[in-house]
Amino acid sequence: KKDKQSKYEFEAKADYLSDYEIHKNYINDFDAYEAMLLGKVYDSVSASVDSSKITDSYAMTLAKERADRVIAKTPDGETQSAGKADVGKARFMDILRQKWIYPNANAQRPFQEKLNLWQLYSSVYGYMPMFYDWTTSNTGYVGPDCWLWNPRNLVPQQGKVSIEDMDYVTALTWVSKKKLEEIIENEPEEGVDDGWNRDALAELLETAGNKNAGNDSDQDTLVERDRNPSGSKKGICLATRYEAGEDGKWCTFAPDHGFTKVRELDNPHKNGRIPFVVKYSQPLFDSFYGLGDFQRAKPLQFARDGLTNFYFANLLRNLAPGIIVIADGVVKHTLDVSRANP
């Protein structure tokens, strides 16, 4: 289906389409890893979960134990001052980090739990992105925070092998129509530029319609699809291109609706960096995606599952052996097979 072209079409549309096509090819294997995470058997032939089979979840057990050992407590360290004049500032930064940031950076999950999941999911996928930004929460906390990001929905610049080397990455998120309507209604104060193009937002809301997206095998995890088979109410997909460099921009557009560009602003961090940190299970020098524990364990886990299911199938045959009936002189309704099928 062709999207209607928007008069606000994003100028880097071709970059996104090229990057996403290559990224989509890599994430095809994620369903198998996520099935291992859930303790389900994945059938590589039909590309689906076989609910009639069992698994011992050995790979998942090892990955979980490793994550719990690695993040048994919040990582700690000491800020070193560059000179005597900075000793007090370094100590203040330590106090701020330990007493203010660590206890309060709890978006999504408590901070230590996020680190545990960061480690665990890097074993599942081979890499796990985390987004960081400044936040204001309802609890009164104002400061830095971080968010685990679905690796399916972080599209790297192809040809680059690390966030540090990339000129940009593109991250997908979903926003409700109500939220976008609020942005249109709430004009910024005079002299303040929040980057939103409200005319483009109005066009987007008009073209987006009221239909909610169903499950998507590329963008939704197997966990989401398994636990919400009818599809979740996600809203409008927005992609943000985070650019590196002193002149880097944060550009937001709607890839499913004519690539309408709805926002552009200078990097508010003012550091020239892309606001993602990637935790690797085993980094590779020639690939952004790394090498995961589940990727290495998959052949052995599938072999263990095959042997386990063969054993139980044979056990069932022994408990309920087949019956050979000679048709001559036997009336079907006189057969009692209840004992043969306990």
Side-chain angles (χ1 to χ4, degrees):
K1 171 185 137 183
K2 267 192 172 179
D3 293 321
K4 180 182 175 183
Q5 184 173 358
S6 166
K7 64 179 179 180
Y8 301 104
E9 185 176 273
F10 184 42
E11 58 271 17
K13 171 183 174 180
D15 286 344
Y16 172 78
L17 290 174
S18 174
D19 293 339
Y20 187 72
E21 190 63 31
I22 298 172
H23 175 67
K24 189 167 67 170
N25 289 334
Y26 180 80
I27 64 178
N28 281 337
D29 291 333
F30 280 8
D31 275 9
Y33 307 149
E34 290 161 359
M36 292 166 64
L37 175 70
L38 283 175
K40 297 191 175 185
V41 177
Y42 186 78
D43 185 350
S44 300
V45 177
S46 64
S48 62
V49 171
D50 190 339
S51 56
S52 66
K53 301 293 179 64
I54 60 173
T55 176
D56 62 2
S57 295
Y58 188 66
M60 173 54 188
T61 301
L62 292 179
K64 179 58 180 167
E65 287 180 349
R66 178 185 179 190
D68 291 344
R69 287 195 303 270
V70 171
I71 312 294
K73 66 174 185 176
T74 305
D76 205 357
E78 183 179 352
T79 306
Q80 297 289 338
S81 59
K84 290 184 178 180
D86 296 322
V87 171
K89 185 184 293 185
R91 289 179 180 173
F92 174 72
M93 292 298 293
D94 274 337
I95 294 170
L96 191 65
R97 174 170 51 84
Q98 295 172 7
K99 304 298 183 183
W100 179 244
I101 298 174
Y102 282 0
N104 292 291
N106 297 324
Q108 286 184 317
R109 297 280 193 278
F111 182 66
Q112 186 170 346
E113 188 176 326
K114 280 190 287 192
L115 296 183
N116 184 285
L117 291 172
W118 201 24
Q119 167 61 42
L120 173 63
Y121 278 95
S122 70
S123 294
V124 176
Y125 297 112
Y127 71 107
M128 188 63 190
M130 186 178 279
F131 175 74
Y132 63 86
D133 200 359
W134 197 266
T135 187
T136 302
S137 76
N138 296 330
T139 62
Y141 170 68
V142 178
D145 210 331
C146 54
W147 292 259
L148 294 169
W149 205 273
N150 183 349
R152 291 173 178 268
N153 297 329
L154 182 72
V155 185
Q157 178 189 11
Q158 296 303 320
K160 305 291 185 179
V161 298
S162 71
I163 291 287
E164 290 73 23
D165 289 340
M166 291 180 187
D167 301 316
Y168 64 89
V169 296
T170 308
L172 306 181
T173 188
W174 279 260
V175 181
S176 68
K177 294 186 70 173
K178 182 180 179 182
K179 178 66 177 177
L180 296 181
E181 288 168 354
E182 289 176 355
I183 293 172
I184 294 175
E185 293 170 2
N186 298 327
E187 293 279 351
E189 297 177 6
E190 189 176 347
V192 176
D193 183 11
D194 60 1
W196 289 103
N197 182 334
R198 285 165 172 78
D199 291 333
L201 278 176
E203 180 191 277
L204 173 61
L205 289 173
E206 183 181 345
T207 58
N210 295 315
K211 187 177 180 181
N212 293 313
N215 281 328
D216 187 308
S217 59
D218 293 326
Q219 297 170 344
D220 298 329
T221 66
L222 184 67
V223 179
E224 292 176 283
R225 285 177 274 139
D226 178 74
R227 300 189 175 185
N228 194 355
S230 62
S232 58
K233 186 177 180 181
K234 294 179 290 190
I236 298 172
C237 178
L238 293 181
T240 300
R241 174 179 163 124
Y242 297 95
E243 298 177 347
E246 293 182 2
D247 299 325
K249 306 284 186 181
W250 290 9
C251 303
T252 302
F253 59 97
D256 297 336
H257 303 286
F259 283 81
T260 305
K261 180 179 172 183
V262 295
R263 194 184 196 194
E264 178 176 304
L265 72 162
D266 295 331
N267 184 344
H269 295 175
K270 304 185 188 305
N271 57 8
R273 297 179 183 176
I274 294 170
F276 280 91
V277 179
V278 177
K279 164 72 177 66
Y280 285 97
S281 175
Q282 173 58 55
L284 300 174
F285 85 94
D286 53 357
S287 173
F288 166 77
Y289 297 102
L291 179 65
D293 296 333
F294 277 32
Q295 184 177 355
R296 294 185 297 116
K298 179 183 169 184
L300 284 175
Q301 181 66 65
F302 279 30
R304 289 173 66 98
D305 294 344
L307 291 173
T308 300
N309 283 281
F310 278 134
Y311 169 76
F312 278 102
N314 186 60
L315 183 64
L316 181 60
R317 280 194 296 269
N318 289 332
L319 290 173
I323 299 175
I324 300 176
V325 178
I326 299 174
D328 295 340
V330 176
V331 181
K332 185 176 180 181
H333 71 267
T334 63
L335 293 173
D336 181 6
V337 295
S338 58
R339 294 184 182 181
N341 295 280

